[in-house]
Amino acid sequence: MIHITKNRIYYSDTDAGGVVYYANFLKYAEHARADLFRGIGVELRKLQMCDHYGFIVKKSALEIFSPLFLDDLMRIETTISKMGNIKIFFNHKIFNDTTNAIVASIEAMIVGIGENEESGDEQVVLSNPVLTSDNFMPKHIPKNIVEKLKTYCE
């Protein structure tokens, strides 16, 4: 199944040339992932505050094919290509919703983090020193979340 998020382009999304600033595509992918989690009943804030668990982006790749402009309506299609014990690989395709032309493609690997726990045979090295404290270690994705996310696996 594909998760779909739609959004309009505003002045704050554009650069001096009047097109969407490239880094905003990463923000749109983040919004789409958050909407996907919300759509399956996972409240990220509650997960963070009550369960001391969250997700970070460890790696992402962005490829832009054509620009988006002020007032364009975009559609973000999100799927999951692979899931491990602590990692999820998301694919985001961004389209101009009016012309249906693909605008950008983003691949993102997110890692589950939480209070110190053995991560099994999947090792992830977090190079950011802020994320190496006992409160931000790689941690298995809760089984109930994995089950809900399977719907979006390719």
Side-chain angles (χ1 to χ4, degrees):
M1 186 158 79
I2 297 173
H3 180 270
I4 296 175
T5 303
K6 292 187 180 187
N7 196 15
R8 188 156 305 275
I9 303 302
Y10 298 97
Y11 277 118
S12 60
D13 296 315
T14 62
D15 63 14
V19 299
V20 169
Y21 181 64
Y22 79 95
N24 284 336
F25 288 108
L26 299 173
K27 178 177 71 172
Y28 303 147
E30 177 72 26
H31 293 176
R33 284 192 301 276
D35 287 346
L36 186 152
F37 279 112
R38 192 175 297 110
I40 62 171
V42 175
E43 298 177 43
L44 294 174
R45 181 75 173 152
K46 184 178 176 186
L47 196 64
Q48 181 183 32
M49 299 303 292
C50 298
D51 299 330
H52 306 284
Y53 187 85
F55 295 101
I56 60 164
V57 175
K58 182 167 185 324
K59 180 169 62 170
S60 67
L62 165 66
E63 186 172 3
I64 300 172
F65 306 108
S66 63
L68 282 172
F69 300 94
L70 178 66
D71 279 340
D72 280 348
L73 183 62
M74 73 171 141
R75 179 179 77 250
I76 305 168
E77 296 183 357
T78 302
T79 57
I80 296 171
S81 61
K82 184 176 157 185
M83 275 194 295
N85 291 330
I86 59 174
K87 298 184 270 188
I88 306 170
F89 295 83
F90 284 93
N91 289 321
H92 304 280
K93 291 181 181 171
I94 301 177
F95 296 87
N96 180 317
D97 199 46
T98 304
T99 65
N100 210 34
I102 188 162
V103 172
S105 176
I106 299 166
E107 295 175 355
M109 180 182 83
I110 68 169
V111 176
I113 58 169
E115 293 179 335
N116 196 7
E117 173 185 291
E118 292 298 320
S119 60
D121 30 37
E122 254 188 287
Q123 296 296 316
V124 174
V125 177
L126 301 174
S127 58
N128 184 342
V130 173
L131 300 175
T132 58
S133 72
D134 286 340
N135 292 329
F136 290 95
M137 296 301 293
K139 188 172 180 180
H140 286 124
I141 302 165
K143 288 181 179 20
N144 65 321
I145 294 176
V146 169
E147 286 304 312
K148 292 176 180 181
L149 288 173
K150 284 182 180 177
T151 305
Y152 295 99
C153 287
E154 297 175 329

